[in-house]
Amino acid sequence: MSENTENQQDGRIIQINIEEQMKTAYIDYSMSVIVGRALPDVRDGLKPVHRRVLFGMNELGNNSNKPYKKSARIVGEVMGKFHPHGDASIYDTIVRMAQPWSLRYMLVDGQGNFGSVDGDMPAAMRYTEIRLQRMAEAMLEDIDKETVDFTLNFDDTLEEPTVLPTRIPNLLINGASGIAVGMATNIMPHNLSEVVDGLIAYIDNRDITIEELIKHVKAPDFPTGGIIYGYEGVKQGFETGRGRVVVRGKVNVETSKAGRERLVIYELPYQINKAALHQKIAQLADDKIIEGISEARDESDRDGMRLVIDLKREAIANVVINQLYKYSELQTSYGINNVALVKGRPRVLNLKDMLSEFVDFRHEVVVRRTRFDLRKAEEKAHILQGYLIALDHLDEVIALIRASRTPEEAKEGLMTRFELSEIQSKAILELRLQRLTGMERDKIKEEYDEVMKLIAYLKEILSDEGLRFKIIKEELEDVKKRFGDERKTEIQYLASEMRMEDIIAEEDVVITISHLGYIKRTSAYDYRQQKRGGRGALGGKTREEDYIEHLFVASTHHTMLFFTEKGRCYWLKVYEIPEGEKSGKGRAIQNLINLPTDDKIRAIIDIKDLGDKEFISSHYIVLCTANGIIKKTLLEDFSRPRQNGVNAITINEGDQLLEAKLTNGNSQIMMAIKSGRAIRFPENTVRDTGRGAIGVRGIEVDNDKDEVVGMICVNKEDETRTVLVVSEKGFGKRTDIEEYRITNRGGKGVKTINITEKTGSLIAILDVTEKDDLMITCKSGITIRMAVADIREAGRATQGVRLIRLDDSDEIAAVARLDEQEEQRLDEEAQEGMEGNEPGQDGSSAAQGEAPVDETPAE
């Protein structure tokens, strides 16, 4: 007891709280595991053991263009110099880096037995041979140019790199998994070409969103292929660094010569043991959990994987496949947990974080490499400059050297006489005599000039950040060209998460709606252009009492707003409209939207994106009725689709909604009535009201015998637009909008067309430019397409030109404008169609000698 007391007093025994000691020791241990074993560095994506193996192989000259070396030689080198742990851990690391089913892009080129996807063990390291892959060499490039920091090894006798100066974004392309203390990491492998595209997109725009980056880096890409089933977990992993990816194996259904079906599994989920899966499937069949399997056998060979499952005669292949996904590892889920070391600290990283950290690291490597190259170039220039001074005074230099008793004396003499540095003087003394010839002197001068150019370029790199990032991009593009490949893993979206816009091609389509409410969409190219006065083509088969009433062009990704004659508004995506043949009648619109049987579509507005807040808050819907009522409502009031529609305008008894237009609030509104009059007034004279309002009078209409036929909204500054009017019997003309004077809203208006028995009543009014095309549809179903430029301009009070020749019993039902002319419209089909429509060949009125235009002013 007294001895202990004495020792305590001597200070050789220190009292320590065991709780504190355990806490401190455990924290030290855990940090050692986190930093030195389990987690990869965000920059090169490697753990210390991988980095030491690659560095050790590089130091031994074990390159891709050299002969293989025994694995045991490399293991001994790495263990003795850099990694003082078991040889098994080093060899296991080498084996994994040489297995094509373990790494998406292998870093070690192996020769010999490195195991199999069935879980077979690799041969012992004394039997196998290895060398670096070309990709691993790209990770070690420039390591001798002071691009990365080195640290002392475990016994302070050698130096090893703290990180590799990689050009390859290894963390993302090969992923990583590891369990540390209190944390773990599980980073999925990705496709190199996609990752490089993502890096370049990030360099071009540092504010790029993860949503935009996902267009480049689409999803993980596993070395064993398979199918990613569902995208939401992948997207969550990209956005937060944590998520879940479900992967399925690929299965084909084959039919044997005997007519029996069999399943062939030819790709497995990542890290799944084929032999264990085979055994599991056989067990499921034996236990009657999956009824339809008669036999399972492995027919894999050097040509590829082939796990064959024979089905019983009554079994349904798809049912068995779904059961395999449910009960076996043919469907496996992986937790995404992107934890990596950033500046020595573990951090959860999203996709943008990982890309930005790599770009920042590459920038640092380029700067350090350039500084090294600049220093070496300046040192070389310094020596060459000394050579040039010596060559310019050659005889004097030779005499000085000959007169010197020792090299040291000669060196001092050169430094004093020619003001040279010690380095230059030593280099001159070591100069070989052959370099004193005239040709060699010229070479030294050329070499000096080249080095000076290089120095100027290197200094430019160091002073210009844009140039540095250009170099990074060029090096990344070179990496993609050398090592990039196609995706191995397919992506399969679930129905609940699929955006239809992503899988439906964006194209212009013609939407047609018949008088009785049948709707369809057809490719715009199905309608060829014809000459004015032609017979037209059949635009849609309809029942005798039906005809095409609405016809317009829209993109498949847009949203259509449908306005009914009772003042309701409904929504429908263009791609949701069934596609039909040009001559087909389409599908009843009641089957697509909840439209009552006693209501019908009167107007349609095409909106590009209802989610564009700026657009919907600055645009209006202007509505007009047959009795001349007009109303304006903010588009935002129509931006929240409802299945049963909403009320757009309150319609008075005996009236109905006729037209709806989208405006920016500064338009000129024109309304035309059946008897041939039109009114023009500024939009701002109509104040905007809520959806349920009645509206105000736009034009005076005699309700007993007249009604509004149409409304147009034209911007004041658009001088290219003219007013096109068309009558029932196929006459039409264009008139300058300025011929219609601006009047007060609610007046009678002015004459817009001379109505006669020959022309019939006014049927349509449109605003057009000479670049537009016109679609005219008749009640008989005939459709003709023509260029607006072919319709000449005429005064307000004329009857116009014949646009389409009609049978006596036929009338025009609808007129629509196509916003842009088709490119290369005169293709072979159009040429054929036009050849038959030249004047004099189709019996048109112009060919029969009838005057095509009557421009006589009305009485």
Side-chain angles (χ1 to χ4, degrees), residues 730-741:
F731 284 80
K733 58 161 183 185
R734 292 189 293 134
T735 307
D736 193 302
I737 193 168
E738 292 303 323
E739 289 202 26
Y740 298 87
R741 69 179 187 274

Side-chain angles (χ1 to χ4, degrees), residues 539-810:
K541 286 181 182 174
T542 57
R543 290 157 57 183
E544 264 185 44
E545 67 273 23
D546 201 5
Y547 55 87
I548 305 296
E549 192 165 60
H550 300 283
L551 187 148
F552 56 93
V553 174
S555 163
T556 47
H557 285 196
H558 291 186
T559 303
M560 310 309 302
L561 268 58
F562 293 91
F563 294 87
T564 71
E565 65 179 26
K566 289 194 172 183
R568 300 283 292 172
C569 174
Y570 297 87
W571 294 262
L572 195 64
K573 287 280 190 183
V574 170
Y575 60 72
E576 293 175 331
I577 298 169
E579 195 166 5
E581 294 294 323
K582 180 181 165 188
S583 56
K585 77 172 185 178
R587 190 169 168 191
I589 202 163
Q590 282 91 346
N591 295 339
L592 303 176
I593 57 178
N594 295 336
L595 187 68
T597 53
D598 60 344
D599 203 357
K600 64 178 290 187
I601 302 298
R602 277 295 181 185
I604 304 103
I605 289 178
D606 172 22
I607 304 292
K608 183 177 181 180
D609 183 9
L610 274 177
D612 186 341
K613 298 292 184 188
E614 188 178 338
F615 183 84
I616 63 173
S617 61
S618 60
H619 284 73
Y620 299 87
I621 301 289
V622 175
L623 307 165
C624 88
T625 73
N627 287 351
I629 298 296
I630 192 159
K631 174 176 181 276
K632 183 170 78 170
T633 303
L634 199 62
L635 176 59
E636 191 172 12
D637 289 1
F638 297 96
S639 64
R640 290 169 289 279
R642 294 185 197 168
Q643 195 171 358
N644 294 321
V646 295
N647 204 34
I649 182 173
T650 300
I651 299 290
N652 292 325
E653 192 175 344
D655 196 4
Q656 61 182 30
L657 182 69
L658 185 73
E659 190 64 89
K661 296 287 183 187
L662 182 70
T663 74
N664 62 5
N666 299 311
S667 300
Q668 301 279 329
I669 295 175
M670 284 189 67
M671 299 170 72
I673 57 176
K674 196 174 176 181
S675 57
R677 286 187 290 114
I679 192 169
R680 176 187 173 201
F681 56 88
E683 182 186 341
N684 57 23
T685 62
V686 183
R687 66 182 179 85
D688 59 295
T689 55
R691 284 191 288 101
I694 295 174
V696 293
R697 183 168 298 282
I699 188 170
E700 188 178 307
V701 178
D702 184 345
N703 292 344
D704 294 335
K705 56 185 179 181
D706 214 349
E707 62 180 18
V708 175
V709 295
M711 170 188 71
I712 61 174
C713 300
V714 184
N715 288 331
K716 290 177 283 189
E717 59 273 11
D718 193 350
E719 296 176 357
T720 62
R721 293 203 171 273
T722 52
V723 178
L724 173 76
V725 288
V726 182
S727 69
E728 280 178 329
K729 295 188 178 177
F731 284 80
K733 58 161 183 185
R734 292 189 293 134
T735 307
D736 193 302
I737 193 168
E738 292 303 323
E739 289 202 26
Y740 298 87
R741 69 179 187 274
I742 294 177
T743 62
N744 291 328
R745 175 180 57 75
K748 289 187 176 182
V750 296
K751 182 166 279 193
T752 184
I753 188 170
N754 190 24
I755 297 296
T756 65
E757 191 175 332
K758 182 172 148 186
T759 64
S761 299
L762 186 64
I763 190 73
I765 180 170
L766 298 110
D767 57 305
V768 294
T769 71
E770 291 199 350
K771 291 183 180 179
D772 293 338
D773 277 4
L774 208 62
M775 284 275 209
I776 299 176
T777 308
C778 304
K779 292 185 178 179
S780 61
I782 295 290
T783 301
I784 188 169
R785 177 174 179 168
M786 66 181 68
V788 166
D790 289 348
I791 305 169
R792 62 183 293 180
E793 288 193 34
R796 267 195 308 105
T798 59
Q799 70 178 20
V801 59
R802 188 187 294 277
L803 304 181
I804 182 170
R805 191 165 60 82
L806 301 172
D807 295 332
D808 292 340
S809 59
D810 203 3

Side-chain angles (χ1 to χ4, degrees), residues 35 104 186 293 296-297 385 424 505 520 550 577 586 614 688:
V35 176
R104 180 64 179 82
N186 203 31
I293 296 174
R297 63 186 178 277
Q385 200 174 21
Q424 288 173 323
K520 71 172 188 289
H550 300 283
I577 298 169
E614 188 178 338
D688 59 295

Side-chain angles (χ1 to χ4, degrees), residues 279-561:
Q279 191 176 351
K280 175 75 172 177
I281 291 169
Q283 189 68 45
L284 289 168
D286 290 345
D287 294 345
K288 306 293 183 187
I289 294 171
I290 300 179
E291 295 279 357
I293 296 174
S294 63
E295 185 192 0
R297 63 186 178 277
D298 191 354
E299 295 181 1
S300 305
D301 56 18
R302 66 178 59 190
D303 295 325
M305 183 182 296
R306 187 176 165 86
L307 195 58
V308 181
I309 300 164
D310 289 329
L311 300 183
K312 293 177 180 175
R313 197 170 293 280
E314 70 278 3
I316 300 166
N318 274 347
V319 171
V320 175
I321 290 170
N322 286 327
Q323 287 176 324
L324 286 170
Y325 286 146
K326 183 176 180 180
Y327 295 114
S328 77
E329 286 77 29
L330 195 60
Q331 175 176 307
T332 307
S333 66
Y334 304 90
I336 299 171
N337 188 22
N338 297 336
V339 178
L341 295 173
V342 181
K343 295 181 176 63
R345 292 172 176 269
R347 212 179 110 196
V348 180
L349 304 155
N350 61 32
L351 175 63
K352 188 174 178 180
D353 292 335
M354 289 193 279
L355 296 178
S356 67
E357 290 292 341
F358 181 76
V359 168
D360 291 346
F361 174 59
R362 279 307 298 162
H363 183 259
E364 183 189 340
V365 167
V366 168
V367 169
R368 291 179 68 160
R369 181 183 67 196
T370 307
R371 283 179 184 150
F372 177 86
D373 288 341
L374 178 61
R375 194 177 80 240
K376 291 294 180 186
E378 285 174 340
E379 288 171 3
K380 189 173 184 181
H382 184 62
I383 290 170
L384 291 170
Q385 200 174 21
Y387 286 169
L388 291 172
I389 291 169
L391 292 169
D392 287 343
H393 305 85
L394 187 57
D395 294 338
E396 205 175 335
V397 167
I398 291 170
L400 190 150
I401 294 171
R402 287 183 65 185
S404 302
R405 291 176 61 247
T406 64
E408 191 64 32
E409 188 180 323
K411 185 181 74 174
E412 293 292 335
L414 287 171
M415 289 169 64
T416 307
R417 175 68 186 84
F418 300 107
E419 296 182 353
L420 298 172
S421 69
E422 187 176 351
I423 293 168
Q424 288 173 323
S425 299
K426 284 176 75 173
I428 290 166
L429 290 171
E430 291 165 5
L431 196 65
R432 295 174 66 183
L433 287 173
Q434 73 172 34
R435 301 214 68 179
L436 302 180
T437 61
M439 192 177 288
E440 286 293 320
R441 289 174 69 182
D442 292 342
K443 281 184 182 177
I444 289 170
K445 182 72 175 79
E446 283 175 22
E447 191 178 355
Y448 178 73
D449 292 340
E450 287 298 316
V451 171
M452 292 311 292
K453 282 182 190 172
L454 176 62
I455 288 170
Y457 175 63
L458 293 172
K459 284 181 176 176
E460 187 185 354
I461 292 172
L462 289 173
S463 63
D464 185 352
E465 187 180 68
L467 182 55
R468 295 198 292 273
F469 282 111
K470 184 185 174 189
I471 290 167
I472 293 167
K473 281 168 65 175
E474 286 170 356
E475 289 175 354
L476 285 169
E477 281 162 358
D478 177 61
V479 162
K480 179 181 173 181
K481 186 178 175 183
R482 285 161 63 195
F483 306 115
D485 58 4
E486 296 296 317
R487 278 191 73 84
K488 289 187 176 183
T489 306
E490 290 179 20
I491 303 167
Q492 195 176 97
Y493 295 90
L494 301 180
S496 60
E497 65 191 17
M498 199 185 303
R499 287 181 72 248
M500 295 300 291
E501 285 91 339
D502 293 337
I503 60 171
I504 290 174
E506 186 163 6
E507 61 170 338
D508 282 347
V509 290
V510 175
I511 310 294
T512 57
I513 301 175
S514 75
H515 179 69
L516 292 181
Y518 288 90
I519 187 170
K520 71 172 188 289
R521 64 180 165 97
T522 317
S523 174
Y525 292 95
D526 287 350
Y527 291 87
R528 65 175 183 263
Q529 191 190 41
Q530 297 176 4
K531 291 287 187 183
R532 176 177 63 76
R535 291 290 300 178
L538 197 61
K541 286 181 182 174
T542 57
R543 290 157 57 183
E544 264 185 44
E545 67 273 23
D546 201 5
Y547 55 87
I548 305 296
E549 192 165 60
H550 300 283
L551 187 148
F552 56 93
V553 174
S555 163
T556 47
H557 285 196
H558 291 186
T559 303
M560 310 309 302
L561 268 58

Side-chain angles (χ1 to χ4, degrees), residues 5-280:
T5 308
E6 188 181 331
N7 285 339
Q8 285 176 346
Q9 289 169 350
D10 290 346
R12 280 177 285 178
I13 295 178
I14 303 165
Q15 289 279 352
I16 293 173
N17 185 321
I18 191 167
E19 188 182 326
E20 289 298 322
Q21 177 61 29
M22 286 183 69
K23 192 184 290 184
T24 306
Y26 196 70
I27 286 172
D28 289 345
Y29 163 72
S30 63
M31 285 309 297
S32 175
V33 172
I34 288 166
V35 176
R37 189 197 305 176
L39 300 186
D41 192 293
V42 73
R43 297 168 293 178
D44 62 4
L46 298 174
K47 299 176 188 177
V49 64
H50 300 88
R51 193 177 299 117
R52 286 163 177 168
V53 165
L54 297 178
F55 180 67
M57 291 172 75
N58 188 60
E59 290 292 284
L60 270 182
N62 192 200
N63 300 103
S64 61
N65 58 352
K66 303 279 179 63
Y68 292 91
K69 291 188 190 297
K70 283 284 185 188
S71 300
R73 170 97 182 270
I74 307 300
V75 170
E77 176 81 7
V78 173
M79 186 168 61
K81 288 184 175 179
F82 310 115
H83 198 70
H85 303 283
D87 56 359
S89 66
I90 298 170
Y91 186 52
D92 287 347
T93 298
I94 290 170
V95 166
R96 189 172 175 276
M97 289 197 289
Q99 290 175 332
W101 61 90
S102 290
L103 254 64
R104 180 64 179 82
Y105 298 92
M106 291 183 293
L107 301 177
V108 170
D109 179 10
Q111 186 168 262
N113 172 18
F114 281 87
S116 75
V117 76
D118 286 328
D120 298 320
M121 294 295 291
M125 58 181 155
R126 61 182 179 275
Y127 298 117
T128 59
E129 296 177 335
I130 57 171
R131 63 184 177 188
L132 286 170
Q133 288 276 9
R134 284 172 56 240
M135 182 174 276
E137 290 176 350
M139 294 181 70
L140 289 151
E141 215 166 314
D142 301 326
I143 197 163
D144 55 349
K145 291 189 175 182
E146 299 175 4
T147 48
V148 292
D149 293 331
F150 277 70
T151 186
L152 290 169
N153 69 341
F154 62 90
D155 62 0
D156 294 352
T157 57
L158 296 166
E159 285 194 329
E160 61 174 314
T162 56
V163 66
L164 298 187
T166 176
R167 295 184 178 200
I168 310 291
N170 185 62
L171 183 70
L172 267 167
I173 66 166
N174 275 327
S177 63
I179 300 169
V181 177
M183 63 183 69
T185 185
N186 203 31
I187 302 169
M188 299 293 113
H190 293 77
N191 183 271
L192 175 63
S193 300
E194 291 181 4
V195 172
V196 168
D197 290 343
L199 287 164
I200 290 171
Y202 171 76
I203 291 169
D204 289 339
N205 175 19
R206 299 304 174 80
D207 297 323
I208 193 169
T209 63
I210 291 174
E211 188 100 6
E212 291 168 319
L213 282 171
I214 290 173
K215 292 174 184 174
H216 302 285
V217 188
K218 298 178 179 67
D221 188 26
F222 299 101
T224 51
I227 300 165
I228 289 173
Y229 181 65
Y231 196 72
E232 199 53 47
V234 173
K235 191 177 177 186
Q236 193 178 358
F238 280 147
E239 288 174 345
T240 66
R242 298 190 194 275
R244 182 160 294 276
V245 54
V246 177
V247 183
R248 289 178 162 184
K250 286 185 184 175
V251 186
N252 269 342
V253 180
E254 293 181 359
T255 306
S256 67
K257 290 178 182 177
R260 298 273 291 274
E261 283 189 331
R262 60 186 174 213
L263 307 179
V264 178
I265 300 168
Y266 61 98
E267 283 183 13
L268 292 181
Y270 185 44
Q271 293 174 331
I272 292 303
N273 184 312
K274 176 163 62 69
L277 177 65
H278 180 198
Q279 191 176 351
K280 175 75 172 177

